[in-house]
Amino acid sequence: MAKALDLEELTRLYELMMTIEHRMKEIGEDFSYEKQVLENRLEHLRKPLLGELSPWEKVMIARHQKRPTALDLIPHLFDDYTEMHGDRYFGDDPAISGGIAWFGDEPVTVIAQQKGRNTKENIKRNFGMPNPEGYRKSLRLMKQAEKFGRTVICFVDTPGAYPGVGAEERGQAFAIANNLLEMSWLRVPIITIVIGEGGSGGALALGIGDRVYMLEHAIYSVISPDGAAALLWKDASLAEKAAELLKITAQDLFQYQIIDGIIPEPGVGAHFSLTDTAKQIRQHLSLAIAELHSCEIAELIEQRYEKFMKMVRFTESEQTIASSAKPSILV
Amino acid sequence: MKPGRDQGIYCPDCDGRVDREKLYHDWKMCPFCQYHFPLTADERLALTLDRDSFRPIAEGLLTEDCLQFPEYLDKIEQDRRKTNLQEAVLAGVGNIGGHEVVMAAMDTRFRMGSMGSVVGETIVRAIRYAHDTRLPLIVFSASGGARMQEGIFSLMQMGRTAMELGKFHRAGGLYISVLTHPTTGGVTASFAALGDIIIAEPRALIGFAGPRVIQQTIRQQLPEGFQRAEFLQDKGFLDLIVSRPALRETLLKLLNFHKGVRAIG
Ligand SMILES: [Zn+2]
């Protein structure tokens, strides 16, 4: 069984480490014995705390109840966030919050997948798993942004698009596909930040960005590690192994050039300091917006296209293996 | 195989015993209940295109083990031998009643028709080819979803194919998407859902999430006929449901309507 990560304990130890570090600065040269003892302790703490987290530990952090959600971050990033509701076809999906806000002196469109922060809220927000109307609301707000020349900023945090009867009846696949196509050619800059879980097509439906960032311990995957383990080995408890194989960490995806940057998290994760996390996101947003604004829109769309077209891996051979050229006549 | 049974073919829908020879003369349909047995990509091309008119494009794309996923290339090799295909899709140019078209057909025998880089790239190249030659595009989808062993690169093929289709649609190209049994996951949620005209074969399973995943999530009985072509048409997502013997004629009719239409590059 994959081991659970005790985030509270991790946080407590991290605070202890900070205290020791602080204490060491106060100690003069004369107290070298005490200093050595503290240094020893520090070494023991540092490794598990600041050494690399395993992919599975990152999954636990990304999914943790205490992790800041988009609606926690938004007040620290924007002013006057004004939420807009509904897809104008069917309903309003609480798993996605969207609206207009000020980023500095510029109005932007914000679209955010939103998990609940407690059980009651999670039921309302369907654990951050959008229905088609959530994706259609997102697209409506993106088209609105396009009309008024607003930059679109998306926050991704979802286990995936909701696998439910109603979702299928209302065309989940069609809603996601449409978002992918429309985002590809949207005539305003798009910035996407994966702040927690980036679950499959349900995440990508907000993920066709000119800049795509991930928080340091966020994950982004074609299938959840649990789901992959169940499919591959008929055993969900092998999720830890699947998490490693699937290459879902920000560090892996940056190396593959799937994302454009990693936003550092404070201490042992974003939950450690909401304001520090927001500050880091704000810096990245400022920089990205400045860069994207200096670009002609036609050029921007061309670059968006070129960037995504590179996200493929195959080998091309002159020779063909199979005799696929000549289909056998059947009837 | 149930005990006491011979090696014959049994219809998955009505359990009737189907004579192999007859099946192949009957559009690969069950003589009792008209169940459409999945076609291989080769068979699909042969059934749809004018005789000997097919010329392949995007050949020679080889699957890469981009994540160093255990046993992945072995499985690819097995499926290559089993199917005589390089990957889960074939694409090329051919004629339907004299209309030149770009056509792609997926094959579920190969890794369940899942979409990895090669499938994505083949579809992208087919779209691009149709765009550049100003020909109509017809894609027959059949897929179990994502190619897990290619991780994020599998996911990104949804974006790439949708992106390329956006370009094609803007240029005024005609894209007919034909959904066959089964079409689920990332293929449904990208190029399969983005046709000007969307056709399905009768009773084809079409959806985003697979029925088993939905059942596990909601823990309720799924409605009768859920995610079948007729259900989707009833909900407003399919233009046409066409049984196999009438499919070529239907495509021909649709191509005739669009005779003057040419993508404008
Ligand atoms: Zn039958």
Side-chain angles (χ1 to χ4, degrees):
Chain A
M1 188 65 200
K3 68 172 187 291
L5 184 74
D6 189 342
L7 212 58
E8 312 256 338
E9 179 68 3
L10 211 60
T11 308
R12 199 185 61 75
L13 288 173
Y14 184 79
E15 272 162 354
L16 181 63
M17 186 184 91
M18 302 287 277
T19 317
I20 298 173
E21 261 179 356
H22 187 72
R23 176 86 184 104
M24 281 181 61
K25 276 186 200 137
E26 291 174 354
I27 296 172
E29 288 300 315
D30 298 345
F31 298 90
S32 57
Y33 175 71
E34 193 188 351
K35 193 166 180 173
Q36 216 179 336
V37 171
L38 287 178
E39 228 158 46
N40 236 327
R41 280 191 120 182
L42 205 53
E43 206 44 49
H44 269 92
L45 287 172
R46 256 195 202 125
K47 231 178 164 178
L49 289 181
L50 297 184
E52 239 168 81
L53 292 166
S54 77
W56 181 249
E57 284 168 335
K58 281 175 186 279
V59 172
M60 311 277 256
I61 289 186
R63 288 177 181 170
H64 204 276
Q65 187 78 60
K66 290 231 164 74
R67 191 168 176 84
T69 66
L71 287 181
D72 295 320
L73 289 163
I74 284 170
H76 293 266
L77 298 170
F78 309 104
D79 295 316
D80 280 350
Y81 176 61
T82 307
E83 189 172 351
M84 310 275 159
H85 293 275
D87 68 346
R88 305 246 173 110
Y89 293 108
F90 178 79
D92 186 41
D93 185 354
I96 296 183
S97 171
I100 313 173
W102 291 100
F103 184 72
D105 53 8
E106 179 191 339
V108 294
T109 288
V110 176
I111 299 167
Q113 290 169 334
Q114 179 64 30
K115 293 180 179 176
R117 286 162 287 196
N118 51 53
T119 310
K120 195 180 153 209
E121 216 188 356
N122 251 328
I123 288 165
K124 176 187 160 198
R125 298 202 181 271
N126 202 26
F127 296 84
M129 293 184 282
N131 274 284
E133 45 277 16
Y135 294 114
R136 294 193 176 113
K137 170 169 71 178
S138 305
L139 183 55
R140 179 174 80 80
L141 295 176
M142 286 184 215
K143 297 304 263 187
Q144 190 192 64
E146 183 179 53
K147 179 176 176 187
F148 298 106
R150 284 193 291 267
T151 296
V152 175
I153 300 168
C154 297
F155 294 92
V156 167
D157 190 11
T158 181
Y162 186 56
V165 172
E168 295 290 321
E169 283 178 345
R170 300 194 292 279
Q172 188 73 286
F174 294 81
I176 292 172
N178 218 20
N179 273 28
L180 299 176
L181 187 150
E182 293 292 339
M183 285 183 89
S184 299
W185 301 95
L186 200 77
R187 298 183 61 79
V188 285
I190 304 171
I191 302 166
T192 295
I193 305 174
V194 184
I195 58 171
E197 266 187 289
S200 196
L204 186 65
L206 299 182
I208 310 291
D210 299 296
R211 295 287 184 279
V212 178
Y213 299 108
M214 285 174 77
L215 284 185
E216 190 181 347
H217 304 312
I219 55 163
Y220 191 4
S221 180
V222 69
I223 181 170
S224 75
D226 327 61
L231 277 177
L232 280 170
W233 307 298
K234 316 269 175 251
D235 185 354
S237 70
L238 293 172
E240 194 170 351
K241 185 177 164 194
E244 263 162 48
L245 291 173
L246 286 167
K247 309 286 198 304
I248 59 179
T249 67
Q251 293 69 26
D252 281 327
L253 299 182
F254 182 67
Q255 213 186 331
Y256 289 139
Q257 294 181 292
I258 298 290
I259 60 167
D260 301 286
I262 302 171
I263 303 178
E265 294 186 29
V268 282
H271 67 282
F272 188 70
S273 167
L274 178 60
T275 47
D276 284 357
T277 306
K279 201 171 127 195
Q280 286 289 347
I281 294 176
R282 217 184 150 80
Q283 278 173 11
H284 280 77
L285 279 178
S286 295
L287 210 67
I289 287 176
E291 276 175 20
L292 297 173
H293 280 8
S294 71
C295 227
E296 286 292 320
I297 189 65
E299 197 186 327
L300 199 71
I301 292 172
E302 188 58 32
Q303 284 172 10
R304 190 186 299 159
Y305 175 84
E306 294 296 337
K307 184 178 85 159
F308 277 88
M309 280 303 147
K310 284 188 195 126
M311 297 179 187
V312 64
R313 292 286 183 277
F314 60 88
T315 323
E316 193 152 12
S317 88
E318 292 298 310
Q319 278 194 324
T320 54
I321 299 172
S323 60
S324 56
K326 274 234 160 77
S328 50
I329 296 302
L330 193 83
V331 184
Chain B
M1 200 171 67
K2 289 177 191 167
R5 283 202 164 176
D6 54 28
Q7 299 279 327
I9 301 169
Y10 290 85
C11 171
D13 250 26
C14 74
D15 213 31
R17 191 186 186 286
V18 185
D19 182 69
R20 185 181 296 268
E21 197 72 5
K22 185 154 169 38
L23 187 66
Y24 278 85
H25 282 93
D26 239 356
W27 307 89
K28 243 178 148 182
M29 284 159 57
C30 171
F32 311 109
C33 74
Q34 318 307 307
Y35 170 79
H36 288 50
F37 283 83
L39 292 183
T40 68
D42 278 328
E43 289 166 350
R44 181 63 72 181
L45 294 170
L47 271 186
T48 310
L49 297 174
D50 299 348
R51 193 172 288 243
D52 295 330
S53 71
F54 182 72
R55 288 177 286 120
I57 56 172
E59 279 186 299
L61 306 185
L62 300 180
T63 316
E64 210 175 89
D65 186 14
C66 48
L67 306 186
Q68 278 85 53
F69 209 97
E71 294 169 47
Y72 181 40
L73 287 186
D74 298 339
K75 284 178 178 164
I76 291 290
E77 196 48 50
Q78 279 168 24
D79 283 1
R80 276 188 188 144
R81 263 186 252 127
K82 188 174 78 189
T83 61
N84 213 25
L85 293 168
Q86 289 178 49
E87 255 287 354
V89 67
L90 282 182
V93 188
N95 294 333
I96 298 179
H99 291 273
E100 201 177 12
V101 298
V102 175
M103 182 170 151
M106 299 186 74
D107 195 316
T108 50
R109 294 172 307 158
F110 198 103
R111 301 277 87 216
M112 288 164 69
S114 55
M115 174 158 66
S117 284
V118 170
V119 170
E121 179 67 12
T122 305
I123 297 293
V124 164
R125 289 196 188 186
I127 301 165
R128 211 174 276 160
Y129 193 90
H131 178 276
D132 294 347
T133 55
R134 307 179 174 192
L135 292 173
L137 171 71
I138 304 175
V139 178
F140 287 83
S141 296
S143 175
R147 182 76 57 86
M148 211 182 340
Q149 294 91 341
E150 291 189 29
I152 201 78
F153 290 105
S154 168
L155 185 66
M156 291 304 145
Q157 304 319 308
M158 292 172 65
R160 293 178 77 243
T161 53
M163 206 167 218
E164 196 64 40
L165 273 175
K167 202 175 195 172
F168 182 65
H169 281 311
R170 274 152 188 271
L174 168 68
Y175 169 36
I176 302 175
S177 172
V178 188
L179 314 180
T180 71
H181 180 72
T183 301
T184 59
V187 165
T188 320
S190 61
F191 62 86
L194 294 171
D196 295 293
I197 297 167
I198 306 182
I199 303 175
E201 288 195 327
R203 268 141 72 189
L205 180 81
I206 301 158
F208 178 62
R212 209 171 311 152
V213 174
I214 298 172
Q215 186 117 48
Q216 278 163 8
T217 309
I218 64 167
R219 295 170 197 285
Q220 279 167 30
Q221 201 60 35
L222 297 175
E224 180 71 23
F226 181 62
Q227 291 185 314
R228 297 288 165 175
E230 296 72 17
F231 176 90
L232 261 87
Q233 188 171 54
D234 186 46
K235 298 297 170 194
F237 293 102
L238 300 178
D239 291 290
L240 295 163
I241 296 175
V242 184
S243 75
R244 208 167 271 165
L247 197 48
R248 198 182 124 95
E249 278 310 304
T250 303
L251 289 172
L252 186 56
K253 202 164 69 176
L254 294 173
L255 290 169
N256 275 327
F257 283 135
H258 296 84
K259 212 166 6 189
V261 174
R262 282 285 182 268
I264 46 162

